Amino acid sequence: GNIIALARAPALRPHALRFVALTASVSLIESLFFIPNSLGCYACARWPVFTAHATGEALAAAAPPGRILTLAPIFPLEGGREIYPEFATGPFAWRTAALVDPPRRATFRMVAPADLADLLAADPPAAILTGFEHAEFEQPLRAYAKAHGYTAKTLPTQGVLWLPRPR
């Protein structure tokens, strides 16, 4: 707006430098009040990429070797752990799988809550990670964990890790 005003008002052209300096000064003074709040963006430890990695490391340290069952696959993957390929899309295929007929689900390797026990019967999870998606969608994972003797452990960063009973 200032540039347009200077271009259209010939009377202001001789005073352009003072006008621009005044405008810049006012803008700087106004923004000084917001600088402390905006400095939070430089706190790298709070950036999602770093918090996801920290959660992944905490998960890897707490879980026994093997696949991790979760609707939030980024965390086990960040910790260098293996997930079930059927859950690689996170909650997206899980949410819609119940709407797809069973033969088609098998074709696309989709898992619905009704299929969970059959999938895990041959290859039970080393641990189950919950606490990142809507409770309704994670309920079948928690029910499986409770029915198979897993115990809940809250991770220091975020989430609940369900661990199998020691043998």
Side-chain angles (χ1 to χ4, degrees):
N2 294 335
I3 293 170
I4 293 171
L6 287 172
R8 293 189 181 208
L12 292 177
R13 284 191 193 132
H15 307 289
L17 185 58
R18 281 189 231 144
F19 184 69
V20 170
L22 177 66
T23 304
S25 299
V26 169
S27 295
L28 179 63
I29 291 169
E30 286 178 339
S31 65
L32 284 176
F33 297 107
F34 300 103
I35 288 175
N37 291 334
S38 66
L39 289 178
C41 70
Y42 296 108
C44 297
R46 293 195 313 241
W47 289 3
V49 67
F50 292 110
T51 58
H53 186 72
T55 301
E57 287 180 333
L59 164 71
R67 289 184 185 193
I68 308 295
L69 174 65
T70 183
L71 297 180
I74 187 67
F75 301 110
L77 293 173
E78 277 292 317
R81 301 304 298 272
E82 190 179 356
I83 62 166
Y84 288 87
E86 295 83 357
F87 292 92
T89 63
F92 302 108
W94 176 256
R95 290 177 182 180
T96 58
L99 304 173
V100 178
D101 59 275
R104 230 179 147 126
R105 278 199 308 256
T107 301
F108 294 109
R109 293 187 71 184
M110 295 175 78
V111 178
D115 308 325
L116 187 62
D118 291 339
L119 171 74
L120 301 176
D123 185 15
I128 301 169
L129 180 64
T130 60
F132 294 95
E133 293 298 326
H134 192 281
E136 176 186 345
F137 298 120
E138 288 187 336
Q139 192 281 330
L141 277 63
R142 287 190 309 277
Y144 177 90
K146 290 175 185 176
H148 290 86
Y150 288 72
T151 56
K153 174 185 178 183
T154 303
L155 291 174
T157 51
Q158 180 184 358
V160 177
L161 186 63
W162 295 82
L163 299 169
R165 189 178 299 134
R167 295 175 192 228

